[in-house]
Amino acid sequence: QVDMCRAAAGADGELEEEGGWERVHESRETSWRAAKLLPGRPYGFRVRAVNAKGPGAFSAPAFYSTAASVPSAPSAIEVVSDEPPQGGKVTVQWDVPACNGDPIQSYVLEQDDGRGGPFTVVYNGPETRCCVGGLQAGVTY
């Protein structure tokens, strides 16, 4: 039997169990491959043998951290302010996405020119809110 748990760094910096253990595998095999683990997250595993008399004691836990990955896409992107109306600028904001194990360093906001041209970078920084200026009335961006 194989059990798995989420793990976290303890006070001494070592990984330890966080939450409870969950049974994830049972077989006669002596190896098993964990699937669908999230990036940049620590996990714990423990194993025990079972025979006709019942289950034995669990092994000491083994902890493992998956490699970090690129962040997820930001969501809930919205224009939150266009004051004064027709003033040539808007404020855009978005929700912080999952960092997937590595802190987000910056966001890149791109805008098209409203005429079908290429997107250009209008913001590159750490905030989740940005005022974009130089917009023309009657043009869809």
Side-chain angles (χ1 to χ4, degrees), residues 37-60:
L37 299 179
L38 298 174
R41 302 260 175 95
Y43 294 91
F45 298 92
R46 66 184 187 179
V47 179
R48 71 177 169 183
V50 179
N51 65 19
K53 298 293 183 185
F58 277 105
S59 66

Side-chain angles (χ1 to χ4, degrees), residues 14 18 30 39 66 74 104 106 110 116 119 140:
E14 296 291 318
E18 179 182 71
T30 58
T66 56
I104 294 171
S106 67
E110 294 183 342
F119 280 78
T140 300

Side-chain angles (χ1 to χ4, degrees), residues 25-40:
H25 183 72
E26 290 189 46
S27 79
R28 294 178 181 264
E29 302 298 321
T30 58
S31 66
W32 170 73
R33 182 178 180 162
K36 299 183 181 179
L37 299 179
L38 298 174

Side-chain angles (χ1 to χ4, degrees), residues 2-136:
V2 179
D3 285 6
M4 182 175 82
C5 73
R6 293 284 309 269
D12 60 0
E14 296 291 318
L15 290 176
E16 58 187 38
E17 173 191 351
E18 179 182 71
W21 292 92
E22 176 184 343
R23 179 79 24 86
V24 292
H25 183 72
E26 290 189 46
S27 79
R28 294 178 181 264
E29 302 298 321
T30 58
S31 66
W32 170 73
R33 182 178 180 162
K36 299 183 181 179
L37 299 179
L38 298 174
R41 302 260 175 95
Y43 294 91
F45 298 92
R46 66 184 187 179
V47 179
R48 71 177 169 183
V50 179
N51 65 19
K53 298 293 183 185
F58 277 105
S59 66
F63 293 100
Y64 172 78
S65 291
T66 56
S69 183
V70 298
S72 299
S75 61
I77 300 166
E78 62 180 335
V79 173
V80 294
S81 172
D82 61 351
E83 294 184 22
Q86 307 302 323
K89 62 183 176 180
V90 296
T91 298
V92 180
Q93 75 179 19
W94 52 91
D95 287 346
V96 174
C99 68
N100 295 328
D102 194 20
I104 294 171
Q105 297 174 351
S106 67
Y107 298 94
V108 177
L109 177 64
E110 294 183 342
Q111 161 192 323
D112 73 12
D113 64 4
R115 296 181 218 85
F119 280 78
T120 57
V121 174
V122 294
Y123 175 73
N124 185 343
E127 304 301 323
T128 58
R129 185 178 180 107
C130 172
C131 182
V132 179
L135 306 176
Q136 298 176 12

